[in-house]
Amino acid sequence: MKDYIDSIEAATYDRHDAKMILTFAVPNLDDAIAQLKAKGVPMFSSPWQFPEEGLAGGVLSACIHDPDGNTIELQQILS
């Protein structure tokens, strides 16, 4: 994920302080981001697109942090 996330420090891994990364599929990433921003949830990465084996269009993804600092990734499968 470090290749795609704006804040490299936010994506570091420390085995002594491991945090969860949860990924949720959303039908429309732009809509999901707009809903979160409307509720005051800051995004810590801009949306990025990456190839995914078996998916012709790849995946569009963006991340937020929950209150405990865990990373939550939102993904839209592109066709």
Side-chain angles (χ1 to χ4, degrees), residues 57-70:
V59 174
L60 187 61
S61 186
C63 293
I64 62 172
H65 282 136
D66 73 6
D68 292 326
N70 299 306

Side-chain angles (χ1 to χ4, degrees), residues 3-4 9-10 14-15 28 30 45 55-56 60 66 69-71 79:
D3 293 339
Y4 303 101
E9 295 81 28
D14 177 352
R15 66 187 176 95
N28 185 299
D30 289 335
S45 75
L55 298 175
L60 187 61
D66 73 6
N70 299 306
T71 300
S79 52

Side-chain angles (χ1 to χ4, degrees), residues 1 4 21-33 36 43 45 47-53 55 58-64 71-78:
M1 287 180 54
Y4 303 101
I21 296 178
L22 302 172
T23 302
F24 295 96
V26 296
N28 185 299
L29 187 61
D30 289 335
D31 289 347
I33 290 171
L36 289 167
M43 303 301 295
S45 75
W48 72 90
Q49 184 175 347
F50 59 94
E52 184 69 32
E53 188 174 328
L55 298 175
V59 174
L60 187 61
S61 186
C63 293
I64 62 172
T71 300
I72 298 175
E73 179 184 17
L74 304 174
Q75 284 190 348
Q76 176 184 343
I77 297 173
L78 303 171

